[in-house]
Amino acid sequence: MSSVRLRPPAQRGGPRAELHDRHEDGHRLHHLLWRLGPGFRVCSSAVLGGGIGPRTWVLNAQVPGGYPRLDPDRHLAEIAAAEGLTGEGAGLMTAAEVAAYTSAHDGGVTATVTTGLGVRGWAAAPATGPRPGEAPADAPAAPFRPGTVNIVVAVPVPLSDAALVNAVATATEAKVQALLDAGLDCSGTPTDAVCVIAPEPGPDGGEPFAGPRSTWGARIARAVHGAALAGARPAH
């Protein structure tokens, strides 16, 4: 595995993403890397380092389609180690072309999105399995599939725990709005992931709200909508 830094995504303030190139098993792949350092928290659904807590880096790594490994968290840790990263981090994966990322900015918020919509649909899909009155059967564990619409949002102000969770919901709402505005009949893919980066709060606990009509939630929504719409339009 090797890594070469390419052009940085154009971002304004806050943590900046770096685009890297690497080679794995005959594939040329890319990943985006945010070097946060101390003093940041992340709220995410990432396969590595998900949840809410201090994080010193965020990684969004491209993997080949038909991803064969069963240990994505370990794979992401290997990529992070090859970059010389230490401490706790958050790692996302996607089979989409990471070098085709899109980004948008609003009032100090930056949203960076990698988009792949080959397998898309609505979140509330018809149930499958036993008919009414039958006992449910244990469903086999689904194999891991890399996320295809990955959203990383960098917010320049501290957010409370509740606001971090609200920010993830706001980003998801804005993504769905962007997909509909792009003319796509879907709410996303089954493996989309969201990651919100914000400074650690002080004694005041941070901003209490991040819904779409709050100051920072509105900025998150507009930034995510802009980046997701730019990424979704070529797929239509």
Side-chain angles (χ1 to χ4, degrees):
M1 181 188 299
S2 61
S3 178
V4 177
R5 181 176 174 178
L6 305 176
R7 62 188 174 91
Q11 299 192 25
R12 304 173 186 175
R16 297 180 63 86
E18 305 168 4
L19 180 65
H20 289 251
D21 173 278
R22 72 184 194 283
H23 296 271
E24 289 182 12
D25 301 324
H27 298 279
R28 185 189 182 203
L29 304 167
H30 298 92
H31 54 271
L32 287 167
L33 171 60
W34 288 258
R35 301 178 191 269
L36 308 181
F40 286 91
R41 292 202 305 168
V42 166
C43 178
S44 80
S45 58
V47 66
L48 174 67
I52 299 177
R55 303 288 184 267
T56 59
W57 50 267
V58 173
L59 180 68
N60 184 14
Q62 179 186 356
V63 295
Y67 183 66
R69 291 184 60 159
L70 300 177
D71 57 348
D73 51 345
R74 181 175 178 179
H75 187 187
L76 285 162
E78 291 169 357
I79 297 171
E83 291 289 355
L85 302 174
T86 59
E88 294 292 323
L92 305 85
M93 278 187 171
T94 179
E97 174 52 73
V98 166
Y101 69 87
T102 52
S103 61
H105 321 274
D106 193 289
V109 173
T110 298
T112 304
V113 179
T114 53
T115 307
L117 293 165
V119 181
R120 60 182 184 264
W122 291 100
T128 59
R131 291 172 294 187
E134 292 181 339
D138 290 334
F144 174 78
R145 295 180 58 189
T148 47
V149 180
N150 284 348
I151 300 170
V152 177
V153 183
V155 182
V157 298
L159 301 177
S160 68
D161 284 1
L164 281 170
V165 175
N166 208 174
V168 171
T170 296
T172 302
E173 290 181 43
K175 175 202 70 176
V176 175
Q177 182 181 347
L179 295 177
L180 295 178
D181 287 346
L184 298 171
D185 187 24
C186 67
S187 59
T189 83
T191 53
D192 294 352
V194 181
C195 180
V196 177
I197 303 167
E200 289 185 337
D204 64 354
E207 293 288 328
F209 306 113
R213 291 299 171 266
S214 68
T215 298
W216 289 102
R219 294 171 181 177
I220 291 168
R222 288 190 293 264
V224 171
H225 180 268
L229 182 59
R233 275 179 168 158
H236 182 47

